[in-house]
């Protein structure tokens, strides 16, 4: 199973919220071109660290784009602040 699908499962199960939140922030920053402090991965348990590295690898090589899109949709569905931030960004581009 690819990294984005696995992270979606963790999100759906509400499993390990602190660990999962770092992975969600990584995915979000990768998607929107944000800045992610890679040192945050080093604070994760080994299983979650490996998942973060797998996500980076998939993203770098353009693998599993559909799964990554679905993950980002799930993140957006749960994060109203991110929705507002992205709406603000796209609204600013129109001017």
């Amino acid at each position: 199973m690819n990294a984005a699908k696995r992270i979606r499962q963790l999100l759906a199960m509400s499993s390990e919220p602190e660990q999962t939140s770092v992975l969600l922030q990584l995915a979000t920053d990768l998607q929107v071109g944000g800045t992610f402090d890679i040192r945050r991965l080093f604070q994760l348990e080994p299983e979650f660290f490996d998942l973060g590295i797998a996500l980076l690898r998939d993203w770098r090589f353009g693998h599993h784009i559909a799964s990554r899109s679905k993950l980002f949709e799930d993140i957006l569905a749960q994060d109203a602040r991110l929705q507002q931030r992205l709406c603000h960004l796209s609204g600013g581009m129109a001017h």
Side-chain angles (χ1 to χ4, degrees):
M1 176 179 310
N2 68 60
K5 280 185 181 179
R6 180 70 183 122
I7 294 170
R8 284 182 68 217
Q9 283 183 338
L10 292 171
L11 180 60
M13 295 185 311
S14 299
S15 176
E16 300 287 340
E18 292 107 22
Q19 304 285 311
T20 303
S21 71
V22 172
L23 296 174
L24 295 176
Q25 187 62 54
L26 173 61
T28 300
D29 288 341
L30 287 168
Q31 182 69 29
V32 300
T35 302
F36 181 81
D37 184 356
I38 199 78
R39 294 174 292 187
R40 293 182 67 198
L41 288 179
F42 293 109
Q43 299 169 352
L44 298 178
E45 295 173 15
E47 165 189 354
F48 293 91
F49 173 83
D50 291 343
L51 192 51
I53 295 300
L55 184 65
L56 285 169
R57 188 177 303 114
D58 288 349
W59 221 281
R60 178 175 182 218
F61 295 113
H63 297 156
H64 313 294
I65 293 171
S67 294
R68 294 176 357 205
S69 295
K70 288 178 185 176
L71 172 60
F72 191 64
E73 288 173 11
D74 289 352
I75 293 169
L76 276 175
Q78 293 190 359
D79 192 337
R81 289 185 313 176
L82 179 59
Q83 290 174 19
Q84 290 176 337
R85 191 174 104 203
L86 292 176
C87 287
H88 175 72
L89 289 175
S90 65
M93 293 175 155
H95 297 277

